[in-house]
Amino acid sequence: MSLELGRDGELQAERFLADKGWEIMERNWRGCRAEIDLIGKDGDTLVFVEVKRRRSKSHGAAASAVGSPKQKKIIRASVSYMRKISHEGPVRFDVIAIDGNAVNHIPGAFRAEGYTR
């Protein structure tokens, strides 16, 4: 059930970003033992997007599920992806939190500065 909820959330997030004019480059990209839900371009910026969806806030808001351990995994995988495509331009890490039917896009939700392997 939660896998289906997650996939539905990712599709909803992808449509949301596409409607904003983003180019979606990858879905569920795997690297360095981590998965990045969506990778897209917002103008010239390469954006790694983590999508979290919850039916309700009874177990906390969806955005709160993207803590430091998850962020580190995403950052590690993003480095691998950027090497793969030889990207040297601007990068951003966003979160799309879906609570019920409310979509909350958080651009720049976390940063890679200070990240160590």
Side-chain angles (χ1 to χ4, degrees), residues 25-78:
M25 300 170 64
E26 302 279 352
R27 295 158 194 84
N28 306 113
W29 188 84
R30 291 189 163 275
C32 294
R33 297 187 313 242
E35 179 181 292
I36 300 174
D37 294 329
L38 296 171
I39 302 172
K41 284 279 204 118
D42 181 13
D44 291 334
T45 302
L46 182 64
V47 187
F48 299 93
V49 182
E50 176 66 11
V51 179
K52 288 295 177 188
R53 182 172 182 205
R54 298 233 169 119
R55 290 188 199 279
S56 71
K57 291 186 179 183
S58 63
H59 292 101
S64 67
V66 188
S68 181
K70 182 66 172 177
Q71 292 173 17
K72 286 179 181 178
K73 287 181 180 182
I74 293 167
I75 292 166
R76 187 172 51 245
S78 73

Side-chain angles (χ1 to χ4, degrees), residues 55-109:
R55 290 188 199 279
S56 71
K57 291 186 179 183
S58 63
H59 292 101
S64 67
V66 188
S68 181
K70 182 66 172 177
Q71 292 173 17
K72 286 179 181 178
K73 287 181 180 182
I74 293 167
I75 292 166
R76 187 172 51 245
S78 73
V79 170
S80 176
Y81 183 79
M82 288 185 287
R83 284 184 183 140
K84 174 187 165 196
I85 67 165
S86 300
H87 179 79
E88 295 183 11
V91 174
R92 194 173 73 220
F93 298 91
D94 291 7
V95 170
I96 293 191
I98 305 170
D99 292 295
N101 292 322
V103 177
N104 183 19
H105 179 201
I106 307 165

